[in-house]
Amino acid sequence: MMITVAGNLRTWPLRRWLTGAAVAALVYVLVAIPTVLIPNTFFSREIPPTWWSYTALGISSLLTGLLVATYVASPIPRTGATNKSGVFASLLTFFAVGCPVCNKMVLLALGSSGAITFFEPVQPVLALLSLGLLLWALLRRISQENACTVPVPA
């Protein structure tokens, strides 16, 4: 399967690579600014980022960019499974790298002590789940690009 994926990536046109790079950069910035992985004056963070947050966000952004690039001039139809898993995985990344007590939804659901006690230890698992879903969706999309369609019997 990996040989097929590498072969398919080698045949990608420049337009796909540029789209993937642009989307990866955009996703990184759109997640890093509200989670304050990129320091800014618009948002604040009560708990400093973990050591793995930058890496998780970087890999997630890269995989999201590549996944979006598979839809540029694609020979395969848009399948709902990979669409939904890619969006869900990107959302998981936001929760995984964000401040546990700065996230309003988590704070409302668990309170500040609950966010630190219960949500913060789960964040690395969310990051791994996000990366796994993105990788699955990307590999599925790329491996299907050269697949032959099976005619439906009448």
Side-chain angles (χ1 to χ4, degrees):
M1 180 174 172
M2 290 308 287
I3 295 171
T4 305
V5 170
N8 286 349
L9 286 175
R10 269 188 243 119
T11 63
W12 275 17
L14 180 61
R15 187 170 120 192
R16 272 191 173 184
W17 288 110
L18 292 176
T19 300
V23 169
L26 183 66
V27 166
Y28 190 91
V29 169
L30 287 177
V31 173
I33 287 179
T35 59
V36 194
L37 293 179
I38 296 176
N40 62 79
T41 58
F42 301 111
F43 298 96
S44 63
R45 188 175 177 120
E46 299 298 321
I47 297 174
T50 56
W51 62 269
W52 51 265
S53 294
Y54 296 96
T55 305
L57 179 57
I59 295 170
S60 177
S61 299
L62 176 68
L63 290 174
T64 302
L66 290 172
L67 181 61
V68 169
T70 64
Y71 290 93
V72 174
S74 175
I76 58 175
R78 291 184 163 98
T79 59
T82 55
N83 288 346
K84 292 174 188 165
S85 65
V87 171
F88 181 69
S90 295
L91 184 63
L92 273 181
T93 300
F94 180 79
F95 286 108
V97 300
C99 172
V101 295
C102 302
N103 187 318
K104 304 296 185 239
M105 292 181 359
V106 173
L107 204 55
L108 285 172
L110 302 174
S112 60
S113 63
I116 293 170
T117 305
F118 300 113
F119 185 67
E120 188 175 24
V122 175
Q123 284 182 298
V125 175
L126 294 177
L128 290 174
L129 183 60
S130 168
L131 295 176
L133 278 172
L134 282 168
L135 187 60
W136 170 81
L138 177 64
L139 291 176
R140 185 168 175 204
R141 288 282 304 171
I142 291 173
S143 65
Q144 290 176 354
E145 284 190 342
N146 292 334
C148 298
T149 58
V150 177
V152 179

